Amino acid sequence: MSKKWISIPVALVGALALFQGQGSPDLAVEAIGTAGIATDSQTLQLSGSLQPTIRNLGGAANSPFTVQVFEDRNGNAQFDAGTDNAVGSTVIASLAAGAVASPTINVAGTLLFAGNILYVRADSTNAIVESNEANNTRFTGQN
């Protein structure tokens, strides 16, 4: 029995690996440290900083991405410009496969009420194609 070889274009092999999630990043917000934030009970002014833990669960490093902190004023768990309250953000230059980043993000703004839930979203501008987009957001009540 003779063996037959077929030729597969490199681009197709790369696309298959991306499809399987082995060659793409997967940014996940795993925790949010809130010990550094405060809200004035009279003015509802938020101040201080919080520290999310973001891990790249995927099989590849990523390009720069924005991490955004916001108050979800319409209750849909997504940031909607003009409706929700953006209170802080930072840019992470790169995160290798399996690596963790814990940036300190300064926050400021007026909340609807003291102690309101804040959301943290990794890759808030959707600049990175990921194997799983569902784990990019976490809120302070989940810790």
Side-chain angles (χ1 to χ4, degrees):
M1 173 189 240
S2 67
K3 293 182 181 179
K4 292 188 178 183
W5 296 94
I6 61 170
S7 184
I8 300 175
V10 173
L12 181 59
V13 172
L16 181 59
L18 181 64
F19 177 75
Q20 293 175 336
Q22 296 174 357
S24 59
D26 177 15
L27 302 173
V29 180
E30 296 185 330
I32 304 170
T34 59
I37 61 173
T39 305
D40 184 291
S41 61
Q42 296 293 318
T43 65
L44 303 179
Q45 288 293 309
L46 172 70
S47 62
S49 61
L50 56 72
Q51 194 169 28
T53 300
I54 301 166
R55 183 182 305 272
N56 182 353
L57 300 172
N62 59 277
S63 56
F65 64 94
T66 301
V67 180
Q68 183 175 40
V69 182
F70 64 97
E71 177 188 35
D72 183 25
R73 292 193 167 179
N74 61 359
N76 67 355
Q78 300 176 41
F79 179 74
D80 296 307
T83 301
D84 294 328
N85 184 14
V87 296
S89 68
T90 193
V91 174
I92 296 178
S94 182
L95 201 54
V100 175
S102 295
T104 298
I105 303 174
N106 293 326
V107 293
T110 303
L111 300 180
L112 289 175
F113 56 89
N116 198 3
I117 290 172
L118 296 176
Y119 284 78
V120 175
R121 178 163 174 82
D123 190 25
S124 61
T125 61
N126 294 316
I128 299 170
V129 175
E130 298 178 58
S131 58
N132 180 3
E133 297 282 352
N135 58 3
N136 286 20
T137 304
R138 187 175 189 89
F139 59 89
T140 53
Q142 286 179 278
N143 288 338

